Amino acid sequence: MGLRKGLTILTLCLAFVLVMAACTKDNNAEPTPNTQTPASNNDASGSGGTDSRLEALGLDANLRFKETRKITVEIYDRGNDGGTPPEDNFYTDYIKEGLLRDHNIEVEFVPVPRWTEVEVINNLLAANQAPDISVTYSYPTIQAYANMGGVLDLNPYLEEYKDLLPDLWDLLTDSNIYWNQDPHTGTIWAIEARLAVLNRINTFVREDWLQKLGLEAPTTLQEFEDMLIAFRDNASLLLGDEADKMIPFSTSFDIGWRADHLLTSFVPNDITDKDIYVYGFDDRHFLLPNYKEGVRVLNKWYNEGLIWKDFSLYPAGDPTEDNLMKAGYVGAFIHNWDYPYRNGEDSIHANLQRLVGPDAAFVAVEPFPNDAGVYKKFLSGPIDRKIFFPATNDEPLASLLYLNWISKLENRLFLQFGEEGVTHEKLEDGSYKTLAATGEKIMNSPANIDYTLTINGLDLGDPDLTVKSIANGYAGVDKRYVEIAHRITTNQGRIGKNVNVGEIKSEAGQGQALKEKRDAILNRAVVAPPDQFDQIYDSGMEDYLRSGGQAIIDERRAAWEAVYGDKTMLD
Amino acid sequence: MNKTMNYLRRYWVLYVMLILPLAFFIIFRYIPMGYIQIAFKKYSIVQSPWEMAWADHNGFEYFIQAFSNRDFLYALRNTLMLNFLDLLFGFPAPIILALILNELAFKRFKRFTQTVVYLPHFLSWVIIAGMALQLFAPTSGLVNIMLQRMGFEPIPFLNDPVYWVITYVLLGIWQSVGWNTIIYLAAIAGINPELYEAASVDGAGRFRKIWHVTLPGLRPTIIVLLILSLGQILSSEFDRPYALSNKLVTDVSNVISIFVYNYGIRGLQFSLSTAVGLFQSVVCVIFLFAANALAKKTGERGIW
């Protein structure tokens, strides 16, 4: 009897709790329309009206809020081994203390995993829980939520508060702040952080193998190919017992990135800005004219045994290919401009020297001139992360003051280099040298790029010092390698320009699907038997165009012509 | 009246206990159904589904969009193909294994085998995909290294569409066959031993007994599981094709769940993906009903 009673009570309680949970469930999902609009600007226009204007904004003369404001800020979590929590460490304390001191703003950081950032920020936006200052590399994500009314238009706020944000303007300039302004409606859904260094990718080859085989660094496609063949044919000399592990050229499923310099060297030198824009939807340059001929070269190499056979099987982030490089089986590859030298003790360079010997090293080379003999590199514009405020942000001014504070030279230099004597030292020439930090002063990413939201990369205000400091930043790597890599990666580059013709509707929601398709086409074309290459590439491209690619090209062309008319080049 | 009161007085506790499961279904299964209307409306992040505007074409805009999307049609084809192959080869496998295990005389060996074959069920597909790469990659995979040492050509288990499908189906069988066997072994255990004795007396051999006693005894179980499997014909797993896939086989490996992931979650087309999900569910329900009706027509009990 007692048991039965007990059970009954328990059941009733549980049921009650569940019902209550159901009742409260939906309340949070109620939309909170943003009715807030910037305070009227009239006060500021009159002379001597500044104080009363600040008063109205709740600020004192030093731009300190009279009442503490609270904002949340997104921060990338890179899941670093042995690192500190990205939302709570020495550097976040520096920011929190600084903002509380200077502006009376309380800051809370919200970690978002770096490698799934788009998915996570999507979820946060959909749940109306996105941080007040949000950031993503995906502009289409912002555009999609803006169309649903989920993003704050920054234009009125930027105009209203411009005079309060001098450091933000100094760093980003009009160019990055107005980069995304819609030409028709004037809205600004996001401002672009500054990409301080345009370095993108490089081609690397094993310097010690070149020496062993008496070869010069290749300067043409033919020389590069001959070099790969020499690697393959001399596998026993270069690798001894492990000759069967020889990989002359290694790449990954992301062919578009991992062969970019080779592939884009086939694009005509005189391609216009208009064509770059019209065919530039894909960030891997997949649609640019003559790209296919570059892929044909890879196909030839693959069928001649010059390319790693298993390249397409490993997913993003899999360490297998890196391990092959570290073990010394790889002769050449194309990757991020400083790829072999990154990650200190665990870099490819450091491992190679430990496992193979002190002479073993990858060096950057420049072997792919285009039809005009130019080593052209397609570089992005000076833009990086896109910073936006979700519609749930009810502290736009405090958020903008945060961005201004983080853009101030002394603040960002502290975040990029840390404490003198602990995480960096100043060399005689005035450049910074990064020191390996321990404990809580380890940075979560090189130069703390996650905390310097408005800038990615070093900018010391002096280009010469900046380059020297960059080269100093690779512990245990001979400066020479970094300097070569730094010089080559942007040599004869063509910097992307801002084509701002408004929203292209056919791009909505297509990004991921077309990206998957592009990768599949490139992978299949590379491994195709040579006599089927054309058929596989062409049918893949046809499918790509019919699945939305052509619609984007057409809409982009029409939008360009509507704004720029007959012009094919921008100033 | 009095009878009813008496009944309630005696059994009210049972009814109270029913509240919990009912609440579960109402809260987590029926209330969310209200959100199905997203499939017929223009999704907006700042509105509740009731306020959203209706989509074009009487609300069917997203269904039309899906069916005119080539990727969706490929995904539909692949889902049907992979599920059909799974059904064709994966469904009989545990029955056969159960019959074999049942015939094993050496009890300890039988238990050992049973444990070994059902362990893979507890591995996630991400782990299995990692193992498959180590074993089947063309140059570095263990199996292909051994094949090459023996003088054979490496087999493109994972990087050729046809071989990939075979690998996919076989790995599926490997992962689940032992687990699914349990239910058949239980059914076999429930068969009256006198039937076997009678068959022996009539002079039936081992295969005769399997054919005339064990299999008929298993029939109701087989039918019920078959109906349930048919109800799943258009539903698609996500982990398995996603983890095993690579860029060379997307032509056959992109199933509906991956389509929904790419277009819906990564491409932010929530209405489109809800429409696809709804379509999937409706087809599954139709299959379930059809299979059940067919079973009843052939004299079986069906599942309801």
Side-chain angles (χ1 to χ4, degrees):
Chain A
M1 207 56 190
L3 178 70
R4 209 168 79 170
K5 225 175 202 170
L7 268 179
T8 313
I9 292 167
L10 187 69
T11 317
L12 279 170
C13 289
L14 273 173
F16 182 70
V17 167
L18 278 173
V19 170
M20 289 310 286
C23 294
T24 51
K25 196 178 160 195
D26 266 2
N27 295 349
N28 291 335
E30 279 300 304
T32 41
N34 192 71
T35 49
Q36 202 175 345
T37 45
S40 106
N41 205 7
N42 294 342
D43 296 342
S45 55
S47 57
T50 316
D51 283 343
S52 58
R53 175 185 165 222
L54 292 180
E55 187 86 17
L57 295 172
L59 293 166
D60 68 13
N62 297 320
L63 300 185
R64 233 177 149 264
F65 281 106
K66 286 171 189 152
E67 278 174 41
T68 309
R69 305 297 175 98
K70 281 187 186 171
I71 59 169
T72 50
V73 179
E74 177 183 344
I75 206 82
Y76 281 147
D77 181 352
R78 292 171 194 262
N80 286 351
D81 285 343
T84 48
E87 72 278 16
D88 178 22
N89 56 48
F90 177 70
Y91 301 100
T92 53
D93 286 348
Y94 174 80
I95 300 174
K96 286 179 185 171
E97 284 160 19
L99 277 149
L100 202 57
R101 182 187 61 230
D102 297 345
H103 295 301
N104 200 12
I105 296 171
E106 246 178 52
V107 178
E108 188 193 328
F109 289 99
V110 180
V112 164
R114 169 65 184 94
W115 310 119
T116 48
E117 58 119 353
V118 176
E119 285 89 339
V120 175
I121 199 71
N122 268 335
N123 287 339
L124 289 172
L125 278 163
N128 276 322
Q129 286 172 348
D132 293 327
I133 299 179
S134 289
V135 64
T136 173
Y137 279 98
S138 162
Y139 192 75
T141 301
I142 301 173
Q143 180 71 60
Y145 279 97
N147 290 347
M148 300 178 207
V151 178
L152 213 55
D153 176 14
L154 289 171
N155 190 27
Y157 300 102
L158 287 166
E159 235 154 66
E160 161 91 11
Y161 305 133
K162 181 172 179 175
D163 57 327
L164 308 179
L165 312 165
D167 301 297
L168 183 68
W169 241 272
D170 271 356
L171 178 62
L172 298 189
T173 70
D174 278 358
S175 141
N176 279 35
I177 286 175
Y178 294 110
W179 191 277
N180 295 316
Q181 183 163 39
D182 190 295
H184 312 299
T185 59
T187 50
I188 301 177
W189 300 124
I191 57 177
E192 297 278 347
R194 175 157 294 278
L195 185 60
V197 179
L198 293 177
N199 293 357
R200 202 163 163 264
I201 55 179
N202 265 321
T203 309
F204 295 96
V205 300
R206 277 285 290 276
E207 193 183 37
D208 51 323
W209 287 8
L210 288 178
Q211 279 165 4
K212 262 191 196 166
L213 300 175
L215 296 168
E216 291 289 316
T219 56
T220 63
L221 177 61
Q222 189 57 49
E223 286 176 19
F224 190 81
E225 186 176 308
D226 293 343
M227 177 197 75
L228 295 183
I229 293 172
F231 287 166
R232 181 192 65 192
D233 295 344
N234 293 291
S236 315
L237 172 70
L238 297 171
L239 289 175
D241 293 347
E242 300 183 302
D244 60 332
K245 300 205 167 114
M246 160 64 70
I247 297 171
F249 185 79
S250 124
T251 188
S252 81
F253 75 90
D254 190 357
I255 299 279
W257 180 256
R258 298 292 311 286
D260 179 88
H261 278 182
L262 165 67
L263 298 170
T264 53
S265 73
F266 282 83
V267 175
N269 189 52
D270 56 4
I271 184 169
T272 59
D273 286 341
K274 180 182 175 184
D275 280 348
I276 291 182
Y277 173 72
V278 169
Y279 299 109
F281 163 69
D282 184 88
D283 67 346
R284 301 294 198 247
H285 307 126
F286 178 53
L287 295 170
L288 293 191
N290 221 26
Y291 192 84
K292 177 182 167 190
E293 295 312 307
V295 185
R296 194 190 298 280
V297 171
L298 289 174
N299 173 265
K300 181 176 155 215
W301 290 355
Y302 181 86
N303 283 293
E304 287 178 4
L306 298 173
I307 292 182
W308 183 36
K309 282 265 184 257
D310 298 355
F311 76 91
S312 59
L313 293 180
Y314 293 91
D318 187 283
T320 305
E321 192 197 355
D322 283 7
N323 291 338
L324 293 169
M325 293 173 187
K326 289 173 180 172
Y329 304 142
V330 173
F333 66 91
I334 297 172
H335 213 312
N336 300 7
W337 77 275
D338 60 347
Y339 198 71
Y341 318 127
R342 289 178 173 188
N343 292 344
E345 277 305 288
D346 194 38
S347 67
I348 288 167
H349 185 81
N351 276 289
L352 204 53
Q353 303 228 312
R354 265 199 301 274
L355 293 169
V356 182
D359 294 334
F362 281 103
V363 64
V365 295
E366 200 168 31
F368 307 120
N370 65 13
D371 57 347
V374 178
Y375 292 100
K376 181 163 287 177
K377 280 102 187 171
F378 288 94
L379 304 175
S380 88
I383 55 168
D384 193 66
R385 288 158 286 188
K386 294 97 184 68
I387 303 167
F388 68 101
F389 298 171
T392 45
N393 180 336
D394 41 22
E395 294 284 359
L397 175 57
S399 307
L400 285 170
L401 285 172
Y402 176 94
L403 293 179
N404 187 65
W405 191 90
I406 215 100
S407 306
K408 200 177 278 187
L409 185 66
E410 54 173 295
N411 291 338
R412 63 181 151 93
L413 283 190
F414 182 87
L415 289 169
Q416 289 181 326
F417 291 105
E419 284 178 317
E420 185 157 4
V422 180
T423 47
H424 79 270
E425 57 184 14
K426 275 224 171 130
L427 300 187
E428 281 170 15
D429 59 6
S431 66
Y432 285 78
K433 179 176 170 47
T434 311
L435 301 174
T438 50
E440 63 158 0
K441 284 172 189 165
I442 294 177
M443 296 184 182
N444 279 296
S445 50
N448 261 336
I449 68 164
D450 298 326
Y451 299 117
T452 58
L453 269 191
T454 45
I455 185 168
N456 179 357
L458 301 182
D459 175 8
L460 304 174
D462 173 352
D464 193 39
L465 281 186
T466 306
V467 172
K468 282 181 181 153
S469 301
I470 290 172
N472 290 337
Y474 297 83
V477 180
D478 188 340
K479 250 186 187 182
R480 184 175 65 96
Y481 291 116
V482 184
E483 279 168 1
I484 295 174
H486 182 74
R487 180 169 47 76
I488 291 180
T489 184
T490 54
N491 182 35
Q492 301 187 330
R494 182 163 174 173
I495 297 173
K497 296 173 187 167
N498 187 12
V499 178
N500 203 342
V501 295
E503 189 192 356
I504 303 294
K505 292 226 159 51
S506 51
E507 289 177 17
Q510 291 288 346
Q512 193 60 31
L514 287 180
K515 195 170 129 191
E516 299 277 334
K517 232 177 235 292
R518 170 203 71 206
D519 286 342
I521 295 165
L522 290 176
N523 278 261
R524 281 202 299 265
V526 170
V527 306
D531 57 325
Q532 289 174 30
F533 172 80
D534 280 297
Q535 188 261 324
I536 287 178
Y537 193 93
D538 294 344
S539 64
M541 182 59 93
E542 195 205 321
D543 180 46
Y544 183 95
L545 293 175
R546 285 178 60 182
S547 304
Q550 189 63 47
I552 293 171
I553 292 173
D554 295 344
E555 193 179 340
R556 277 191 169 220
R557 180 175 285 124
W560 172 287
E561 282 162 7
V563 173
Y564 300 112
D566 288 340
K567 264 171 86 169
T568 53
M569 296 297 278
L570 296 174
D571 309 324
Chain B
M1 193 63 204
N2 217 355
K3 224 175 162 187
T4 325
M5 288 307 288
N6 263 337
Y7 174 82
L8 279 179
R9 201 167 292 148
R10 258 180 96 171
Y11 294 112
W12 66 276
V13 176
L14 292 178
Y15 282 90
V16 168
M17 283 169 81
L18 204 58
I19 290 177
L20 192 60
L22 275 181
F24 172 84
F25 276 98
I26 289 168
I27 295 167
F28 295 109
R29 292 290 182 268
Y30 289 100
I31 292 179
M33 280 196 191
Y35 292 81
I36 284 178
Q37 50 183 320
I38 291 174
F40 304 94
K41 290 182 159 182
K42 289 188 195 298
Y43 182 78
S44 159
I45 182 178
V46 290
Q47 290 173 318
S48 94
W50 305 100
E51 300 165 357
M52 293 174 197
W54 287 98
D56 303 339
H57 300 286
N58 300 323
F60 282 91
E61 181 187 356
Y62 298 105
F63 291 89
I64 295 169
Q65 213 177 313
F67 276 94
S68 54
N69 185 318
R70 295 154 62 85
D71 286 336
F72 172 74
L73 297 176
Y74 295 146
L76 186 63
R77 179 199 68 193
N78 293 339
T79 308
L80 281 171
M81 175 189 70
L82 292 177
N83 283 345
F84 178 73
L85 289 174
D86 264 347
L87 196 64
L88 193 66
F89 296 101
F91 187 76
I95 303 175
I96 295 167
L97 184 67
L99 292 176
I100 294 172
L101 282 177
N102 188 48
E103 298 301 321
L104 288 178
F106 191 24
K107 279 280 173 297
R108 264 206 202 146
F109 181 70
K110 181 182 161 187
R111 285 224 185 98
F112 173 76
T113 316
Q114 223 178 311
T115 313
V116 168
V117 295
Y118 79 58
L119 275 182
H121 172 78
F122 299 101
L123 295 178
S124 83
W125 278 105
V126 177
I127 309 253
I128 296 176
M131 287 165 57
L133 260 183
Q134 298 298 320
L135 290 172
F136 301 132
T139 50
S140 53
L142 196 64
V143 173
N144 274 323
I145 288 176
M146 294 205 322
L147 281 176
Q148 276 166 303
R149 293 244 163 102
M150 291 189 288
F152 296 101
E153 282 288 297
I155 298 172
F157 291 107
L158 299 170
N159 44 346
D160 174 273
V162 174
Y163 280 95
W164 184 85
V165 170
I166 296 171
T167 312
Y168 176 91
V169 171
L170 289 179
L171 282 175
I173 293 177
W174 173 77
Q175 194 247 11
S176 61
V177 67
W179 186 254
N180 294 338
T181 299
I182 291 175
I183 209 159
Y184 291 111
L185 282 174
I188 290 175
I191 296 174
N192 188 348
E194 283 176 19
L195 292 175
Y196 288 104
E197 283 161 24
S200 299
V201 170
D202 289 346
R206 178 165 284 215
F207 287 100
R208 282 268 157 213
K209 273 194 264 181
I210 292 177
W211 187 251
H212 289 291
V213 183
T214 319
L215 274 178
L218 279 180
R219 202 161 78 168
T221 317
I222 293 175
I223 298 283
V224 167
L225 290 181
L226 187 64
I227 293 172
L228 290 176
S229 308
L230 279 170
Q232 301 283 314
I233 192 82
L234 203 62
S235 68
S236 61
E237 282 178 280
F238 179 74
D239 312 16
R240 184 173 163 205
Y242 193 78
L244 288 173
S245 177
N246 61 64
K247 305 291 171 193
L248 292 178
V249 297
T250 46
D251 269 0
V252 290
S253 69
N254 271 357
V255 293
I256 292 179
S257 56
I258 294 179
F259 173 86
V260 168
Y261 178 64
N262 278 340
Y263 275 83
I265 297 178
R266 293 168 124 182
L268 310 171
Q269 307 211 42
F270 300 112
S271 293
L272 179 71
S273 47
T274 313
V276 169
L278 184 60
F279 161 76
Q280 232 179 332
S281 306
V282 169
V283 173
C284 285
V285 169
I286 293 173
F287 263 89
L288 188 69
F289 274 82
N292 195 49
L294 211 69
K296 278 186 175 164
K297 252 205 178 122
T298 53
E300 290 295 332
R301 273 184 55 206
I303 52 176
W304 66 80

